[in-house]
């Protein structure tokens, strides 16, 4: 049964299923593409097609979509009675600016990633343009083997932040040979629009430790602890610390801990970084008096 643009008003009147999770089987097409599917069961079985759970009348074994447009995206399935024979989710390819806010003259998606350590956790954020479900996958370049993935659903124009956990990358796997990581972001809107972007980076370029676990000051004695998220032992994953002091008059001074001299201060706070790769500094710990 062919579906054409003449049926757009009818198609738009059908209530689409809410996509609770990112579909596992996507059929990605361009606007105005024409698509033909065939489906058959056992000899003598009658088959029918459904769209978003709604029976397509007189569909038979062959289903045709002429001039694909947003109203015809969604979940298509072929049935022989109660038995599901095949199923796929049709989406229409959109420009990445439909989902991702951009930066710079090249209009690259503005995606920021940072890792609090080397233990397999990665945080990424971006600004979403439209309500969508996003699938974030991490892999090594030149391979499709997934290191970790996660999904997030956004109601509309907002800041997105995802955390990928238990990523199976080695701290120094990128070094020999030089193999960067690739973050693959897929966006799917409720109306069936789809876009995919990638961000390539090395782990050492995005390491930013969390703030130190605590800072104690007793007289002239200063004690601290590495962030709970940092890799142990610290002899193998060392950190260096910077102390910021504030005088009673409000004047600030920053010191690496081994360079601190005897002087009076009103309060202090601490931060840390990986000195081996000169990572970004962590955020400052809260002020301590």
């Amino acid at each position: 049964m062919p579906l054409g643009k003449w049926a757009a008003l009818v198609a738009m009147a059908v209530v689409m299923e809410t996509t609770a999770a990112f579909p596992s089987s996507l059929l990605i097409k361009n606007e105005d593409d024409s698509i033909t599917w065939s489906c058959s069961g056992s000899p003598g079985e009658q088959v029918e097609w459904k769209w978003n759970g709604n029976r397509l009348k007189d569909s038979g074994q062959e289903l045709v979509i002429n001039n694909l447009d947003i109203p015809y995206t969604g979940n298509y399935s072929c049935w022989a009675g109660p038995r599901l024979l095949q199923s796929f989710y049709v989406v229409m390819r959109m420009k990445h600016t439909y989902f991702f806010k951009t930066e710079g003259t090249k209009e690259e998606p503005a995606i920021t990633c940072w890792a609090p350590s080397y233990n397999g956790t990665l945080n990424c954020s971006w600004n979403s343009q439209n309500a969508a479900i996003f699938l974030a996958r991490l892999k090594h370049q030149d391979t499709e083997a997934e290191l970790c993935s996660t999904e997030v659903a956004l109601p509309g124009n907002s800041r997105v932040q995802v955390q990928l956990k238990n990523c199976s990358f080695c701290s120094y796997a990128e070094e020999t040979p030089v193999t960067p990581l690739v973050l693959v972001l897929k966006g799917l809107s409720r109306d069936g629009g789809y876009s995919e972007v990638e961000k390539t980076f090395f782990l050492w370029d995005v390491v930013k430790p969390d703030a130190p676990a605590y800072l104690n000051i007793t007289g002239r004695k200063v004690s601290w602890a590495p962030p709970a998220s940092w890799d142990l032992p610290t002899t193998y994953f060392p950190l260096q610390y910077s102390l910021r002091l504030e005088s009673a008059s409000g004047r600030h001074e920053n010191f690496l801990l081994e360079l601190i001299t005897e002087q009076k201060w009103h309060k202090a706070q601490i931060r840390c970084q990986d000195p081996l790769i000169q990572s970004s500094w962590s955020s400052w710990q809260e002020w301590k008096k």
Side-chain angles (χ1 to χ4, degrees), residues 102-108:
T102 59
E103 62 182 1
T105 56
K106 294 183 179 180
E107 293 194 340
E108 296 293 332

Side-chain angles (χ1 to χ4, degrees), residues 22-127:
F22 207 93
S24 58
S25 179
L26 288 182
L27 185 60
I28 305 167
K29 294 294 181 179
N30 296 315
E31 185 178 10
D32 291 330
D33 278 354
S34 293
I35 313 166
T36 301
W37 297 281
S38 294
C39 177
S40 59
S42 301
E45 273 190 316
Q46 295 292 318
V47 300
E48 65 176 359
W49 287 90
K50 293 182 180 181
W51 174 53
N52 292 328
N54 299 285
R55 181 174 176 268
L56 294 174
K57 187 178 179 180
D58 301 325
S59 53
Q61 292 185 340
E62 187 174 87
L63 179 68
V64 179
I65 295 180
N66 293 315
N67 308 114
L68 178 68
D69 205 346
I70 283 292
Y72 308 118
T73 60
N75 183 49
Y76 287 84
S77 55
C78 179
W79 298 80
R83 187 160 59 94
L84 176 64
L85 300 178
Q86 60 176 289
S87 176
F88 43 83
Y89 201 98
V90 178
V91 297
M92 193 174 81
R93 186 179 284 108
M94 313 288 284
K95 291 183 177 180
H96 66 259
T97 50
Y98 186 75
F99 293 100
F100 305 95
K101 288 190 177 179
T102 59
E103 62 182 1
T105 56
K106 294 183 179 180
E107 293 194 340
E108 296 293 332
I111 302 166
T112 302
C113 293
W114 67 99
S117 67
Y118 302 96
N119 63 10
T121 298
L122 181 71
N123 301 291
C124 293
S125 65
W126 63 92
N127 286 319

Side-chain angles (χ1 to χ4, degrees), residues 150-167:
T150 190
E151 295 181 13
V152 61
L154 271 296
N157 189 332
S158 60
R159 184 71 177 172
V160 187
Q161 182 168 323
V162 298
Q163 185 175 77
L164 295 100
K165 297 181 178 180
N166 303 316
C167 302

